[in-house]
């Protein structure tokens, strides 16, 4: 991790923290409505999302939209081991959740898994993004490891879409060789699609 990434992470975490609860709620509702109209959503059957930690972009309306559209919703579960990736498990209404070692909610039942490459769309949290689709995450490299296979593919499947507040956009983000780029970012104002 570069020192630069560390500084940007600190500054943009703080920006994200400033957003008021009412704005968060409105942003999440707008994003869900907007997402439902996107071709990438309509064409997707297997969609990974996440349960937001306190300052991440809220996803509950989006998860409800996935269920309502009769699509399959998956949540990330941390693998064990020294350099864990994420396993995506089916999440249905009413499924029991518990906190993992980072205090992130995960489904208790992990029997219904999907291979990451079989997902059509993955909605991912982020701390900052830029106009080229670079993503700055929390710094664990979890999403980068989980979708590392995308670098070798000509056709991107799953499509990776970041969920973010518009203020999380930064002019230019540093990018390391292992960073997996986003195909799109959905904010409370717009959907940005990035050229490859
Ligand atoms: N494909 C990979 N193989 C090995 N190590 C990796 C891979 N991807 C990421 N890493 C490791 O993860 C660490 C953190 O990566 P980075 O700073 O890009 O995190 P991030 O993308 O911001 O976080 P996250 O994806 O968890 O939200 C890096 O220092 C790197 O060593
Ligand atoms: Mg990264």
């Amino acid at each position: 991790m570069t020192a630069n990434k560390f500084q940007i992470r600190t500054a943009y975490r703080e920006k994200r923290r400033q957003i008021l609860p009412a704005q968060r709620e409105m942003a999440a509702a707008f994003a869900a409505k907007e997402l439902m109209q996107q071709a990438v959503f309509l064409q997707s059957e297997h969609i990974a999302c996440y349960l937001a930690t306190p300052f991440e972009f809220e996803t509950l309306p989006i998860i409800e939209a996935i269920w309502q559209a009769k699509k399959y919703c998956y949540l990330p579960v941390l693998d064990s081991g020294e350099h864990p990736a994420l396993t995506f498990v089916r999440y249905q209404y009413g499924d029991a959740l518990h906190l993992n070692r980072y205090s992130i909610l995960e489904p208790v039942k992990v029997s219904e898994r999907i291979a990451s490459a079989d997902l059509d769309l993955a909605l991912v949290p982020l701390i900052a993004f830029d106009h080229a689709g670079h993503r700055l995450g929390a710094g664990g490299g979890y999403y980068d490891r989980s979708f590392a296979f995308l670098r070798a593919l000509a056709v991107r499947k799953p499509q990776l879409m970041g969920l973010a507040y518009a203020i999380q956009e930064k002019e230019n983000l540093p990018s390391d060789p292992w960073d997996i780029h986003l195909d799109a970012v959905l904010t409370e104002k717009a959907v940005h699609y990035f050229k490859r």
Side-chain angles (χ1 to χ4, degrees):
M1 180 186 55
T2 58
N4 197 9
K5 268 189 176 179
F6 180 82
Q7 287 155 359
I8 299 168
R9 216 171 253 130
T10 307
Y12 277 73
R13 259 187 206 285
E14 185 50 33
K15 271 179 171 255
R16 200 177 61 171
R17 228 171 55 83
Q18 301 290 328
I19 300 164
L20 300 170
Q23 289 177 285
R24 292 174 190 283
E25 231 175 273
M26 269 168 26
F30 174 89
K33 262 178 72 181
E34 199 64 20
L35 179 65
M36 279 191 280
Q37 294 164 20
Q38 302 300 307
V40 64
F41 178 82
L42 295 169
Q43 289 159 8
S44 292
E45 190 180 4
H46 299 280
I47 303 178
C49 195
Y50 62 89
L51 291 173
T53 57
F55 300 107
E56 284 178 344
F57 197 95
E58 183 55 63
T59 56
L60 293 181
I62 289 176
I63 291 174
E64 273 165 23
I66 298 170
W67 285 335
Q68 236 170 49
K70 305 273 181 248
K71 298 175 186 293
Y72 293 77
C73 182
Y74 301 84
L75 291 177
V77 170
L78 272 181
D79 295 336
S80 50
E82 210 182 325
H83 299 292
L86 304 166
T87 295
F88 292 90
V89 306
R90 178 89 186 271
Y91 179 46
Q92 290 179 274
Y93 181 79
D95 278 354
L97 301 167
H98 65 177
L99 294 174
N100 70 16
R101 63 187 136 109
Y102 294 115
S103 297
I104 300 171
L105 285 169
E106 292 184 342
V108 173
K109 192 188 81 185
V110 295
S111 48
E112 253 186 283
R113 299 155 186 245
I114 186 168
S116 309
D118 290 333
L119 289 166
D120 300 307
L121 173 63
L123 304 168
V124 305
L126 56 85
I127 290 173
F129 68 97
D130 72 11
H131 62 92
H134 295 137
R135 168 182 179 274
L136 187 71
Y142 291 97
Y143 282 98
D144 288 327
R145 280 194 295 277
S146 307
F147 294 108
F149 64 89
L150 282 176
R151 249 174 312 176
L153 299 184
V155 178
R156 300 264 296 190
K157 183 179 145 44
Q159 289 275 301
L160 293 193
M161 183 182 272
L163 300 182
Y165 301 104
I167 52 140
Q168 290 174 260
E169 181 169 4
K170 190 183 180 310
E171 200 153 272
N172 283 299
L173 280 179
S175 182
D176 288 305
W178 60 79
D179 282 322
I180 300 300
H181 298 190
L182 298 167
D183 298 289
V185 168
L186 172 60
T187 75
E188 79 283 16
K189 296 206 168 128
V191 194
H192 306 267
Y193 289 98
F194 306 113
K195 287 192 211 94
R196 296 257 70 84

